[in-house]
Amino acid sequence: MCFCCPSKLLVNKPFPQTQSNWIPMTACTRRTVLSLYMRVFRIARTWQAQSGVTSDTETERKYILQEAHTLFRQNQQLTDQQSIKRCIEECEARIEIGLHYRNPYPRATYLPPLGLATQKGRKLRAQQRLRKQAKPIYLQSHDET
């Protein structure tokens, strides 16, 4: 399910006008973010676990609600239009993947070849860069593990 960056848009707190990258949130962007937020809550309300067990359903519903609340609030302060757009795309991707696979949890990511380098220095930095590039859009808001 999607519970990502669009929350950054729920509140539009103005920054000082001296900041050159500040752009007020448009009504269209705000409407998009709020509709995604409400869509996530509608999905959580009707969610049924694939196993059919009531306790699994409740656990997954709680996860969806908690994840949505956490990620939307975490990203509430975004003002950069590119960041907002990426967060909206991430949210939509997580919704579609969750509905398709009937699994609200993020899918596993796989390390690129040679992803477990133990050496320090240039090779380790190169591996870290590869890991960052290999991270799918639906996991951009999650911390590195």
Side-chain angles (χ1 to χ4, degrees):
M1 306 309 350
C2 169
F3 323 124
C4 64
C5 308
S7 66
K8 302 173 184 177
L9 309 174
L10 291 178
V11 177
N12 188 16
K13 295 184 180 178
F15 289 101
Q17 294 299 331
T18 57
Q19 221 176 14
S20 61
N21 64 348
W22 184 76
I23 301 171
M25 181 178 16
T26 64
C28 181
T29 305
R30 181 176 175 81
R31 186 175 25 247
T32 303
V33 170
L34 291 174
S35 70
L36 282 172
Y37 195 64
M38 292 308 298
R39 184 176 176 199
V40 169
F41 281 94
R42 269 187 250 111
I43 289 169
R45 197 174 23 235
T46 60
W47 185 264
Q48 292 294 319
Q50 198 169 20
S51 66
V53 179
T54 306
S55 62
D56 289 348
T57 298
E58 288 303 314
T59 302
E60 290 179 6
R61 284 181 181 175
K62 286 179 184 176
Y63 171 78
I64 292 168
L65 294 173
Q66 182 223 1
E67 185 79 355
H69 180 75
T70 301
L71 291 174
F72 275 83
R73 292 293 174 197
Q74 168 187 327
N75 300 317
Q76 186 173 348
Q77 305 302 322
L78 277 185
T79 55
D80 178 38
Q81 292 297 318
Q82 292 300 328
S83 298
I84 293 169
K85 183 180 176 188
R86 276 195 311 271
C87 290
I88 290 172
E89 289 172 356
E90 179 184 351
C91 183
E92 291 169 346
R94 287 190 70 184
I95 286 174
E96 295 306 318
I97 289 171
L99 291 175
H100 178 77
Y101 292 104
R102 301 301 306 159
N103 183 358
Y105 305 107
R107 296 185 64 193
T109 58
Y110 300 99
L111 296 175
L114 304 173
L116 298 175
T118 58
Q119 298 176 355
K120 294 186 178 185
R122 288 177 67 180
K123 288 189 178 188
L124 182 59
R125 286 193 301 266
Q127 292 305 315
Q128 289 172 340
R129 188 174 57 252
L130 281 174
R131 286 182 191 171
K132 186 174 182 177
Q133 291 172 349
K135 195 171 195 180
I137 190 169
Y138 56 87
L139 290 176
Q140 294 297 317
S141 63
H142 285 278
D143 296 329
E144 293 285 331
T145 55

